[in-house]
Amino acid sequence: MRIKICDYNGAEGEIDVYRTNQWEELRGVLEQMPLHLKASDQAGIRGNPIFDPVGTNHHIKEALSSLGWRANIPIPNQFSFLGTDVDFGKAGVLCEVQFSNYPFLLNNLLRSELFYKTELPLSGEPTGIVVIITKAHMFPASNSTLYYEQAKNQLDELARYNVFDIPIRLVGLFEPKGEPITVMFTTYSDPRYSRTVEARHERQCILQSGKTSAGRSRIDFVGG
Amino acid sequence: MRIKICDYNGAEGEIDVYRTNQWEELRGVLEQMPLHLKASDQAGIRGNPIFDPVGTNHHIKEALSSLGWRANIPIPNQFSFLGTDVDFGKAGVLCEVQFSNYPFLLNNLLRSELFYKTELPLSGEPTGIVVIITKAHMFPASNSTLYYEQAKNQLDELARYNVFDIPIRLVGLFEPKGEPITVMFTTYSDPRYSRTVEARHERQCILQSGKTSAGRSRIDFVGG
């Protein structure tokens, strides 16, 4: 996929000086990943292709784990009110993949800020930066799920008033429109809740500039 | 009800010097309020009396409004990702009543911090302090709803690492155990979701020290 980034609290310098290798690994994984799609189970658009968070998470986890990243890092008891685990970490870099409902962004930010200030070595070293991965608004997706442009608006407001100190790199996952792209389409055994894969195939599709009613790109498959 | 308080970021000084009248009004409302109960609709304890957030909110709103507090103060568009309105405000004091699921506490804190730093005059003046009202753990209540002791633990951790700057007074609503207390018992037209009151009566009950399986006090009505 193609990525956009937006940096806060000196994230660019932190990466350039201290975390170049970790960022290059993350960037490579994301840029080599195909767009993952599944069929919607939502009334009105049932069967239409939408962004597949389970498939995307699975791909990122496999790829980062093979590069020595920790996955599902347990959160210490004193901070259990902020969740059970952090998605990924390596040598001072924490990474949260957030395709869920938009309020989770604040939860991710707040706990990252605490891990930063407490210097907990969750990634093997004290946290120096958090990378938050989101999908672009362009993709049809489940209702109320976070997207990059929305996350950027929230972070812009929070940064304007210096609520957080931790360096943050926000990453958005995009695809080009109007040209064939290779995607990974997964069918799950229960269309709504299951993580059990029934079938997973590479397909070709085109993201159309003509928008859906929700302002997303329409996804047309190429060659049946 | 009886109240406990815990102060963060200089809240005590802020109240003593600048916000004494507003605090005395709040304290009076809470101390004169009876415990509000309703029948549970939860499997296993259906019909048992539990804490009634709707009735409590309604009582506080009526009482504060009559003292000139603003209620349901709209949140400006730029911060709409943090919700639609703040519960109450008067002359530099914001007040959030939080009986809902525990993650809402972080949302309340974060938006209060932003209103503090932006000096938005939501209460008629720039915000100087936020008062957060919670119920004690002792009361049987809906699953996963926030209680004072839990809120205190979270605030203790956040304060330890100076995540927030805004002065915060956390208030817990308690009742004495083992002696008759007057409560307000409300029956709603739909036991789970309705806010439509079918009946509201004063009753006498005793909070028993003998605990329920969830570690709450058992509530016994006195005199049928």
Side-chain angles (χ1 to χ4, degrees), chain B residues 10-209:
Chain B
E12 186 172 5
E14 174 74 18
I15 284 174
D16 287 351
V17 178
Y18 300 113
R19 323 282 173 183
T20 314
N21 291 348
Q22 299 92 308
W23 166 249
E24 288 303 322
E25 288 181 354
L26 259 181
R27 193 169 64 81
V29 164
L30 299 176
E31 289 184 344
Q32 287 159 36
M33 174 172 68
L35 172 62
H36 283 67
L37 298 175
K38 65 169 189 171
S40 173
D41 187 50
Q42 194 180 309
I45 60 166
R46 188 161 290 127
N48 289 10
I50 62 171
F51 184 84
D52 175 13
V54 171
T56 312
N57 275 317
H58 178 78
H59 182 104
I60 295 172
K61 186 173 178 176
E62 292 285 305
L64 286 181
S65 295
S66 76
L67 294 168
W69 287 64
R70 299 180 186 192
N72 306 117
I73 303 164
I75 292 175
N77 275 340
Q78 71 190 115
F79 300 123
S80 62
F81 62 92
L82 290 163
T84 57
D85 52 50
V86 173
D87 288 339
F88 305 106
K90 186 175 183 180
V93 178
L94 294 182
C95 175
E96 298 271 19
V97 179
Q98 195 47 268
F99 305 133
S100 190
N101 288 355
Y102 66 85
F104 282 97
L105 175 64
L106 296 178
N107 181 288
N108 286 171
L109 286 174
L110 191 51
R111 69 195 202 185
S112 299
E113 176 77 2
L114 273 172
F115 302 147
Y116 176 67
K117 290 197 168 167
T118 54
E119 304 188 347
L120 284 173
L122 294 183
S123 59
E125 294 177 18
T127 300
I129 186 171
V130 61
V131 179
I132 296 176
I133 298 173
T134 60
K135 59 182 163 58
H137 178 261
M138 63 189 294
F139 304 116
S142 294
N143 282 335
S144 300
T145 52
L146 182 72
Y147 52 90
Y148 173 76
E149 295 83 349
Q150 181 186 39
K152 182 173 181 311
N153 283 341
Q154 295 190 18
L155 283 169
D156 287 349
E157 284 303 319
L158 294 168
R160 191 193 311 275
Y161 303 105
N162 302 308
V163 172
F164 296 116
D165 296 328
I166 181 174
I168 301 166
R169 172 161 285 184
L170 176 67
V171 177
L173 300 172
F174 289 73
E175 287 284 19
K177 294 182 191 175
E179 58 185 77
I181 56 171
T182 300
V183 304
M184 189 66 78
F185 191 90
T186 304
T187 307
Y188 296 94
S189 59
D190 175 314
R192 190 153 211 171
Y193 297 110
S194 171
R195 292 171 179 238
T196 306
V197 174
E198 267 193 8
R200 179 167 279 161
H201 299 291
E202 272 194 6
R203 298 184 66 173
Q204 297 283 312
C205 74
I206 295 177
L207 293 161
Q208 302 292 359
S209 300

